[in-house]
Structure formats: C-alpha cells, structure tokens
Amino acid sequence: MNKTRKLTYSAIIAAITTILSSLVYIPLGFAKIFPIQHFANVVSAVLLGPWYAVLQAFLTSTLRNLMGTGSIFAYPGSMIGALLAAFLFTKTKKLAFAAVGEVIGTGLLGAMATYPIAILFLGQEAALFGFVPAFMMSSFAGALLGYGLLKVMVRNRAFGGMLYQNVG
C-alpha cells in the first residue's frame, strides 16, 4: 500500500473515531468507558502498521482536544497503545497480539505515562496506579471490539491482501 493511501486511511479512521468517541460509551458502574479510540488503534495497527497507527492516534487525540471532547491524557495512552499493538502484530502476524498490545500499551503503560502529565500540567496529585483501572477497562473493551471486527473481516476475506501488507 502506498504512503498516500495509508495517510488517507489514517485520516479517515481519525475522523470517524473523533466523531464516534463522543457518541459511543459503555456505562460501567459509576464510570463510563469510551472504547472507540482503542478499537481504532487495533484496526489501524493491523491495517496500516506502526507509524500510521500512531499518526491516527495522535490526530484523533488532537481533534478531540480541539473539540473539547478529549483530555490531554489521550495522547500517551492512545499513541503507546497503537504503537505496541502494531509492533506485536508485525512481529507475530496474529490479530490477538494486536489486541493484547493495545490493552498493555494503553491500559498499563499509557496509564502510567499519564501520571507525570497529571502532576506537571494539572497540578493534581494522583496515585500512580489510579489511572490503570479506567484505562484498562476502556482499552480492553475497545481492543475486544477491534479484534472481533478484524476476525469477521478476515473470515469474510474483506481485506483483499491488505492484512499482511504492512508486516515486516
């Protein structure tokens, strides 16, 4: 796939994700989780590869922040998750590892990366692992949805050779 096509797909996924992120949420007890970014990270990691997946995550986070529907915490979580999802898929060629990469990248590493941001920019003292449960639930739900869609698309041969094109 050429660079122009990958860039176009990244922009389209970022636009759709930006719109859907404020509309789709799952109430979970006292919290709401917003899994669409994680869903998009898994899909773009598999279809576009690491750098375009990170670009998509960055674009979506920026658009959501500009629209007032996101927070600064979206940057480290989404970008680390997209990168790890794409990296693991590239190395293993297994869809499940893309989903696992998203959950570990966003749910654990991204959540830990938000801690210094919370202290530095917001002046909030927070427990280091205070972000982990929320990020973990949201990334798990989104990664599961992304994995499910990709499995259906693979089964129905909807990719037309696009799936393993970005695998190193």
Side-chain angles (χ1 to χ4, degrees):
M1 185 182 325
N2 67 30
K3 291 180 182 180
T4 303
R5 185 172 284 189
K6 284 185 177 185
L7 188 59
T8 303
Y9 285 150
S10 298
I12 290 169
I13 293 170
I16 292 169
T17 304
T18 301
I19 293 166
L20 290 179
S21 289
S22 58
L23 300 175
V24 178
Y25 65 89
I26 301 170
L28 191 63
F30 62 89
K32 293 178 186 174
I33 58 173
F34 297 88
I36 298 302
Q37 177 66 61
H38 314 291
F39 169 82
N41 284 353
V42 171
V43 172
S44 62
V46 169
L47 297 182
L48 303 174
W51 305 117
Y52 289 92
V54 171
L55 175 65
Q56 172 276 134
F58 177 79
L59 287 172
T60 303
S61 296
T62 301
L63 289 171
R64 290 187 64 216
N65 273 285
L66 290 173
M67 293 174 54
T69 61
S71 75
I72 196 164
F73 301 137
Y75 286 102
S78 65
M79 292 168 59
I80 293 169
L83 181 63
L84 189 58
F87 177 76
L88 289 180
F89 178 74
T90 301
K91 294 299 177 196
T92 65
K93 299 176 182 64
K94 301 212 182 283
L95 297 175
F97 279 91
V100 168
E102 172 62 23
V103 173
I104 293 170
T106 299
L108 185 61
L109 301 176
M112 289 171 40
T114 60
Y115 175 71
I117 293 171
I119 292 173
L120 185 65
F121 290 114
L122 303 177
Q124 295 178 344
E125 284 294 327
L128 176 58
F129 292 101
F131 295 107
V132 173
F135 278 46
M136 194 68 80
M137 287 186 294
S138 186
S139 62
F140 180 78
L144 190 62
L145 291 170
Y147 173 77
L149 174 70
L150 290 169
K151 286 298 274 189
V152 168
M153 291 176 79
V154 166
R155 189 173 303 128
N156 292 321
R157 301 185 196 329
F159 289 116
M162 192 170 138
L163 185 64
Y164 297 107
Q165 218 168 8
N166 299 303
V167 176

